[in-house]
Amino acid sequence: MRCLIPTPFLLIFVLLSNLQLCFSQDYIIGGGAGDGAGDSPPEAGAPPEQNECNGIFLTYTFFSREKEFPHVKNASAQAWAFRAQATLLNAGTTELEGWKMYIGFQHREILVSASGAVLVDGSDFPADVGKGVILAGYTQTDLKTAIETAGDYNQMQVTIDITGTQFGVKKNGIPMPKTIRLENEGFKCRQPRRRRNKSYMHVCCKKDPKFKEKPPKKTKFLPRQNGDLSLTYDVLQAYGNNYLAQVTIDNNHPLGRLDHWNLTWEWMRGEFISTMRGAYTHKIDSSDCIFGPQGQYYQDFDFSQVMNCEKHPIIADLPSDRANDSKVGKLPFCCKNGTILPSLMDQSKARSIFQLQVYKLPPDFNRTALYPPQKWKINGILNPNYKCGAPIRVEPTEFPDSSGLQAITTAIASWQVVCNITTPKPKQSKCCVSFSAYYNDSAIPCNTCACGCDEPQTCNPNSSPLLLPPEALLVPFDNRTIKAKAWAKIKHLPIPKKLPCPDNCGVSLNWHINSDYTSGWTARITLFNWEEYPFEDWFAAVQLDKAAKGYENVYSFNGTKLPPEMIKNTILFQGLEGLNYLMGETNGTDPKFDPRVPGKQQSVISFTKKNMRNLINIKEGDGFPSKVYFNGEECALPPHIPLGNGAAHSLHVGSEPLMLLFTVVAFFILFVDGFH
């Protein structure tokens, strides 16, 4: 039997169905005039606290996480991939230049990506940020106000999409950072607040009324920053598809130094180096350009003459014999074989300069479309570790006119990168120190694994080093074992089954207390070079917290007491003219039997006790340095000092506790005798 539905009922049914579909649609697709789909986000999405903020409004939102391989039972060792988002909004009345945001990660996070941002310390992704991280903007470094942009969120706000890995979070936990804050000077942030199931936090950072701001210079750029090492990236000439840049490296630290420096950065927009003057890249290769987007665009370009097409080029200084080369040299402050000295030693060697011709890719074919490379890093052979920040736009650099006229020329654009010296982590130094004294038979050698350990399976990397007779410091570690064991037997010291590992340092220094008398005292410093190459224009420095004031003279070196405004209580030593080379290690007289001989220099240093006789006690440790530097690198110090009572491996103990102990023991003995 056929079922017939009357036409009117069918029409009513269709209309009601369409009507139902229309009512079920609660979102907007597309957008026309007046639909709120412009640059500004919908008002309903803005938290109420944002509307009350008169400053910089920061947020952090945790989105999701997913268990990563390998899957393990130990929750603290399980890795999770997470997604989050951070935002900065300028809700104040003044433009924020060069924004920097701190995120206090606390779950052993490894940051894999952060869109629109770079790490301030210049590190690459992925980066270990488990103790927090500071992000800076790229390419949007400044946040304008709503007043000057008519509320354009594209210029007022930056959004950072974050992906990474974290550890040790329970299955249902919400891994949020400890805090978020603005790192720019002159702002004060309260403790962030959390809401939305605790997966969201925000804070409003306002201008600190107590912050004394320097009188603003009539410029739209940030002021130049102070740092141990300052690198300037100046654009000298600009064309449509290329520009000429000059890089200047200035050493501002009294003990900072670089030997055979290597500089690297990351090109963010497909740039490549066509030619260079004053420096060169370790890899001279154009294959990355030929097979990359550069070759697709510059099809008629002769890439055989291109210097480097790597995204991370490694740049080095030219040797001194290229200084007058008309093709690659003839630049002031270039071609010193990578040596940058403190200005105290040689003002002419405290700066290095090189130039490079840079080609760009679309859409940067406007001569004003200039972007510096990011993630700068610089290091030397045996020098301090430098941590570099992100480039900041500064006032264009001024140069004297090349024609000789009394005029100045300015760069088209300038950026500054500031690098600061970091303290070496334990077992990651590049030099070490041993202690000895005339009143103690034993020398305390360098720390075990002071400069790292290569093969800890054959030795104990956590054991204290064995005490040595002083003459054993003159031979390589491999030849000290017999001497150390024999000395331990003589001194009735225990010998572990698994001997401690060597210090593995290329350079070591011995500080020896030579004498101590009523009106003064003397020390002897000895430098050992265990490397095969020499150190030219070497220098060493010691910091003596109490005894530096009494420094009188050093007899085989040049010595200078540094001004206290530079570094307090520090004495700088360097080789005399003609003796400024610390030679490398050489073979013994008979290589079959005799150990290798290190390069060595030493000198006696005299001190006075005038006006400080009751303030220092040499035998109690005041004669030993609290810091020692070689070529700018802070060396690892032994945790103990030689004592005058024959105990050579004890921590320093003041005389007052000892006197108290002797008094108690004497009283106890008298009391027992009286009782009997």
Side-chain angles (χ1 to χ4, degrees), residues 332-383:
F333 302 102
C334 90
C335 315
K336 301 186 183 72
N337 205 25
T339 297
I340 300 179
L341 299 178
S343 57
L344 282 172
M345 289 183 64
D346 191 336
Q347 185 69 45
S348 66
K349 292 184 179 181
R351 166 177 284 190
S352 187
I353 286 178
F354 65 89
Q355 293 179 353
L356 61 160
Q357 195 78 32
V358 181
Y359 275 77
K360 305 183 289 183
L361 288 182
D364 298 336
F365 275 10
N366 188 316
R367 68 176 60 203
T368 60
L370 301 169
Y371 300 95
Q374 301 288 318
K375 302 177 183 178
W376 292 53
K377 294 179 181 178
I378 190 166
N379 56 45
I381 288 184
L382 200 154
N383 301 123

Side-chain angles (χ1 to χ4, degrees), residues 181-454:
R181 64 174 180 265
L182 192 68
E183 283 293 302
N184 296 65
E185 283 187 344
F187 284 87
K188 200 171 184 180
C189 304
R190 293 185 176 181
Q191 190 66 22
R193 294 184 179 180
R194 293 176 61 173
R195 63 181 184 88
R196 294 182 192 170
N197 297 326
K198 297 184 178 180
S199 64
Y200 168 89
M201 64 167 50
H202 67 268
V203 65
C204 178
C205 299
K206 299 181 180 180
K207 284 276 189 179
D208 186 356
K210 295 181 180 179
F211 179 74
K212 293 182 179 179
E213 202 166 1
K214 294 180 181 178
K217 215 177 171 185
K218 291 185 178 179
T219 174
K220 60 181 179 180
F221 304 112
L222 290 170
R224 295 184 183 250
Q225 308 293 312
N226 295 321
D228 297 332
L229 200 70
S230 175
L231 298 96
T232 309
Y233 190 83
D234 295 307
V235 176
L236 305 181
Q237 300 171 6
Y239 308 96
N241 65 343
N242 70 91
Y243 63 86
L244 176 67
Q246 178 171 289
V247 176
T248 305
I249 308 171
D250 286 308
N251 183 12
N252 302 322
H253 194 281
L255 297 179
R257 178 183 177 131
L258 285 167
D259 291 288
H260 303 287
W261 57 259
N262 286 313
L263 172 66
T264 185
W265 58 53
E266 181 177 338
W267 294 115
M268 308 295 284
R269 306 177 75 86
E271 299 95 335
F272 63 93
I273 302 172
S274 175
T275 58
M276 296 187 75
R277 183 183 289 270
Y280 68 99
T281 57
H282 280 251
K283 186 178 181 181
I284 301 175
D285 187 9
S286 59
S287 58
D288 289 347
C289 282
I290 294 172
F291 298 103
Q294 297 90 345
Q296 295 176 10
Y297 185 82
Y298 293 101
Q299 294 185 3
D300 299 328
F301 196 88
D302 181 12
F303 284 102
S304 64
Q305 303 300 316
V306 165
M307 172 70 75
N308 185 274
C309 292
E310 293 178 295
K311 189 174 184 179
H312 300 89
I314 300 176
I315 300 167
D317 193 16
L318 285 173
S320 55
D321 59 2
R322 298 294 186 95
N324 294 317
D325 190 303
S326 58
K327 187 176 179 181
V328 296
K330 288 192 177 294
L331 269 180
F333 302 102
C334 90
C335 315
K336 301 186 183 72
N337 205 25
T339 297
I340 300 179
L341 299 178
S343 57
L344 282 172
M345 289 183 64
D346 191 336
Q347 185 69 45
S348 66
K349 292 184 179 181
R351 166 177 284 190
S352 187
I353 286 178
F354 65 89
Q355 293 179 353
L356 61 160
Q357 195 78 32
V358 181
Y359 275 77
K360 305 183 289 183
L361 288 182
D364 298 336
F365 275 10
N366 188 316
R367 68 176 60 203
T368 60
L370 301 169
Y371 300 95
Q374 301 288 318
K375 302 177 183 178
W376 292 53
K377 294 179 181 178
I378 190 166
N379 56 45
I381 288 184
L382 200 154
N383 301 123
N385 288 318
Y386 288 92
K387 276 283 187 182
C388 301
I392 60 170
R393 186 79 179 267
V394 293
E395 186 79 8
T397 305
E398 296 181 346
F399 304 97
D401 189 77
S402 58
S403 65
L405 296 175
Q406 295 296 315
I408 59 169
T409 59
T410 59
I412 296 170
S414 298
W415 288 265
Q416 184 194 26
V417 176
V418 173
C419 305
N420 288 310
I421 295 173
T422 61
T423 302
K425 295 180 180 179
K427 299 186 178 183
Q428 292 185 17
S429 296
K430 298 173 185 174
C431 55
C432 63
V433 179
S434 60
F435 286 157
S436 57
Y438 74 92
Y439 49 77
N440 197 302
D441 294 338
S442 299
I444 300 178
C446 290
N447 295 337
T448 303
C449 299
C451 300
C453 273
D454 297 327

Side-chain angles (χ1 to χ4, degrees), residues 75-102:
S76 63
Q78 179 60 56
W80 297 80
F82 75 96
R83 291 192 314 110
Q85 188 180 84
T87 66
L88 295 91
L89 172 70
N90 189 349
T93 57
T94 57
E95 180 180 353
L96 178 65
E97 296 180 335
W99 65 262
K100 289 183 285 187
M101 179 181 182
Y102 174 79

Side-chain angles (χ1 to χ4, degrees), residues 132-147:
V133 66
I134 301 176
L135 300 175
Y138 181 83
T139 55
Q140 186 179 351
T141 59
D142 304 334
L143 298 179
K144 296 185 179 298
T145 66
I147 299 170

